[in-house]
Amino acid sequence: MAAPAAPEEEEEEKQEEEEEERGRRATKWRRPPGSTRGREAEARGGGEMAAGPLRPYRAAAGLSAIWSRGGVMMMMVGMEKAVGRLRQRRFKRAVLPEPAASVPAVSVTEIRRYLREQGLPFHDGHSCLHAPSLFTPGPAAPPFTLFIDKTTGGFLCTATLAEGTWQDLQAAVELRHRGLPPPSLHEDDEEEEDEGRRAREAARRIWERALPLWELLDEEESRATKAAFGIAQLADATLKRFGVRYLRAARALVFPWFAPRDGALRGLKLVGATEETFPRFDAYHNLFGLPLVGRRDTEVVLTGRELDALALHQATGVPSLALPRGATCLPPALLPYLEQFKRVTLWLGDDLRSWEAAKLFARKLSVKRCSLVRPGDLQPRPLEALNRGLNLTKILRAALPAGHKSIVSFRQLREEVFGELANSEQVAGVKWARFPELNKLLKGHRKGELTVFTGPTGSGKTTFISEYALDLCTQGVCTLWGSFEINNIRLAKIMLTQFAARRLEDQLELYDEWADRFEELPLYFMTFHGQQNIKTVLDTMKHAVYMYDITHVVVDNLQFMMGHEQLSADRLAAQDFIIGAFRKFATDNTCHITLIIHPRKEDDEKELQTASIFGSAKASQEADNVLILQDRKLTTGPGKRYLQVAKNRFDGDVGVFPLEFSKASLTFSSSKSKAKLKKVKEEKAPAAKKDPDGGAGGSSKP
């Protein structure tokens, strides 16, 4: 029997429908007709939109180098065909989902309406709708173990670990109406199953070789090990309860991942000088500590590290879970396991980056039930707080609610302002490792900003911006590339060459080594090419932010994305609309957008200015930063380029510094440029004083 809609729920659905209708009327461009293409088209960079990792589809030798594949998502050409294929669909139960293909958008209003029409009981959760599972044997009945994501429509059955898209669930419902049994649960195909089996076998062997810390025969070794990891205050009982072990050969702590259904060992994480997981990070979805949570627990604390979860549980007794990738990402596949909690406290770390991540994660978890522990001197990360003898219970009670209806006075902003003053370096953003001179001007890469980048045709805009983004990505900034001008294979080749800083064409024996390391980066590509509808692009970006916690989006470039169909006047209006949409997206999603725009056609001998950006003045007005790649090869010889910071809304510093291009590594940040940079700055210093626009190496306040 379908659940009746409450008056407030009907009102909410009505508002959502009105917002969706306004969104459809807001854009004048229609979604181009077409169908989802296969992996071959995706690899060429064509086809419909998708936000997914570009990965090789082959198995690497060795247990420590397991290559993963994104899950294949079935598109519904028609319900009849989908139902026919569903009988053979292999629902995953060993790993949690990682969508990597194009999926039609669905709203929570449409999901609720469909469930009611099909007579499926459900109730609203925090991030998901709860319904009886269609995949458990026997008649579907409470407890509700099927969780449907309100944002994507993807489902997960926690009883069987069957998962899929909203279209898969619709097909399963159709099977049930026809009196057919639910689809049987199969393992993944042979290649994926072999990879999973090797990972589980490697984890089992490591687990058997590892020793419980509380059972080390040598007490001196036990004390030295605890001191090395800063866990001298953790009791043996706590380590035993969470099953933490020690691997002597690697000098690393071992944290197990037990399946929630049968308690089998699914994988583990090694934490020593570096971190390593089995299976690899993209398939490692372990909420460490989940088996210890009781069904009646209503409060939980989420931490960024496993040792922090141990410290919190020991000091407060509150259920504590560690996210698999810390403050980097909260996979939506984990949300069903957090639905039972009425209060969620996020205590991810002791820096500004963790604080920003906590605010982003609270949106996924529903801000109404979330509280955040603000980093500070008296509120460090949990393990450090335990070691310093601080009262962790008191810190938890002082956690701030994640959402406020309004701010009525400075009193509620006071701590935020103090936090920015006390952490000025962190507020400035992530520093570039390859471009130290850029740090002196922009101070860092900050979330929620829009950067406009331009340069002459053929000057190397794409090559520079790929290294610019790669630099940030290697420091953990989750990056989404939208390359509308060149295909993803060519772009990935450029970035891999820059990452390895060498010509791999001449050293193919090193390809696998560098490709393995490159694959670990939080880097994703949109499979767009050429003209695209702005709404389609924004939907893809929104999906990527939700699924992969993207904080940096690169769009290369605006003109290729727009195409050439509109008249000149329409093109200017269309460009202004798109720039405004990107500006709003960056602000609303706390995501930095780097937008490449071609300049106007001007004299090659003249340097570009802010006014040289194609279109109206809206691009430079909306942008927080304007970067111009100046190509002076006509006067200074080939390879001589300069990067000009023409606008900097953060603190106003603008200026120019030289770049030296290395053709072998396709980089603008070669080691030789450092010495040359200082020399150029010294030589250009007098000229900088005369140049009102800011000379080479100089900086000025506008």
Side-chain angles (χ1 to χ4, degrees), residues 123-124 139 219 375 460 531 576:
H123 62 258
D124 262 300
E219 293 185 5
Q531 181 179 356
D576 287 352

Side-chain angles (χ1 to χ4, degrees), residues 30 42 50 79 119 144 317 333 336 379 383 390 400 501 526 531 574 594:
R30 296 178 60 192
E42 291 178 6
M79 185 61 72
F144 291 8
Q379 296 185 164
L383 181 60
L390 300 178
L400 303 173
M526 289 188 279
Q531 181 179 356
T594 299

